[in-house]
Amino acid sequence: MSNLFAIVVAAVAWPALMLQYWLILWSGPVLQVTVRYFSFFTILSNLLVALVATAVATGGDWRPFKWLRSARVRGLAALSITVTWLVYMAILQAQWHPMGPQLIADRAVHYVVPALYVFWWMALQDHGTLGWSDVRRWLAFPLAFAVWTLARGAVVHEYPYPFMNVDEFGYGQVLIHSLVVGALFVLLGAVYVALDRRLGRRDIP
């Protein structure tokens, strides 16, 4: 059942990502647009979900796929896509109003994919192997994103999210915003580890 649902998750995530790329592709030179596309945490978290679902659905012993099927990476995907959903719903949704194909892509990457993946993670995946140290390890993902965002922004003066706009808020305020999001990662990461342990005990015959 888990493998079958992985196909569903992958079948939604990949078209949503491709549609979003197709929509942004017309906004400038291909290389520039591609870098901008992969500079959104929404895209990265959805891409991680798509890769995890594909790895589970296809199986195989290819090392990257085995790594993507690990409990730690599956947990990171659940955490990242949940933060994507929460930040969008709480902060970003009210700041723009997509229409047409953009509305479809927007709802898919911010609502449908997160809901499908979190359900899959909680209800159908194996549990009981995550540890509290994984909360710390998972922070490497958003930290790398923040470093990339600030480094790229210093060069091109373009930021994927308004609360990370150094040109508008300055580094001090952006650091505070980033720490708040980081705290959200820690809190939710701890919740997911606790859930994994609880669900793991449920799975024991």
Side-chain angles (χ1 to χ4, degrees):
M1 185 63 178
S2 178
N3 286 15
L4 289 175
F5 204 82
I7 296 173
V8 174
V9 175
V12 175
W14 285 118
L17 285 165
M18 289 187 287
L19 175 58
Q20 187 64 73
Y21 182 68
W22 181 80
L23 291 169
I24 199 175
L25 188 61
W26 307 100
S27 62
V30 173
L31 180 59
Q32 177 182 334
V33 165
T34 301
V35 172
R36 182 186 303 132
Y37 175 77
F38 286 108
S39 295
F40 284 89
F41 191 81
T42 296
I43 298 302
L44 297 178
S45 60
N46 275 267
L47 179 60
L48 180 59
V49 163
L51 289 170
V52 168
T54 301
V56 172
T58 58
D61 293 327
W62 188 39
R63 181 171 293 181
F65 272 24
K66 293 177 69 175
W67 175 75
L68 286 165
R69 292 197 301 269
S70 69
R72 183 175 295 160
V73 176
R74 288 186 284 111
L76 173 61
L79 172 61
S80 299
I81 204 68
T82 302
V83 172
T84 293
W85 168 65
L86 287 174
V87 171
Y88 182 79
M89 183 180 63
I91 301 174
L92 302 174
Q93 179 179 251
Q95 299 186 18
W96 81 313
H97 304 284
M99 300 177 65
Q102 184 62 70
L103 178 63
I104 296 172
D106 178 85
R107 294 301 184 259
V109 297
H110 291 115
Y111 290 101
V112 180
V113 172
L116 288 173
Y117 186 85
V118 171
F119 170 79
W120 178 43
W121 184 85
M122 293 185 65
L124 300 174
Q125 294 187 21
D126 295 330
H127 294 282
T129 59
L130 294 178
W132 297 114
S133 61
D134 289 317
V135 178
R136 183 185 69 250
R137 292 187 178 97
W138 287 336
L139 284 175
F141 188 29
L143 178 60
F145 172 77
V147 170
W148 164 255
T149 298
L150 296 179
R152 176 175 175 269
V155 175
V156 300
H157 297 281
E158 180 181 85
Y159 299 88
Y161 304 111
F163 59 86
M164 299 190 76
N165 191 331
V166 172
D167 293 340
E168 180 177 354
F169 294 108
Y171 282 102
Q173 190 63 43
V174 167
L175 177 60
I176 293 174
H177 295 165
S178 300
L179 289 175
V180 171
V181 177
L184 179 61
F185 265 94
V186 172
L187 177 61
L188 284 176
V191 169
Y192 274 125
V193 170
L195 276 173
D196 178 76
R197 292 187 165 199
R198 184 178 182 85
L199 293 170
R201 289 195 296 269
R202 178 203 63 183
D203 295 338
I204 296 174

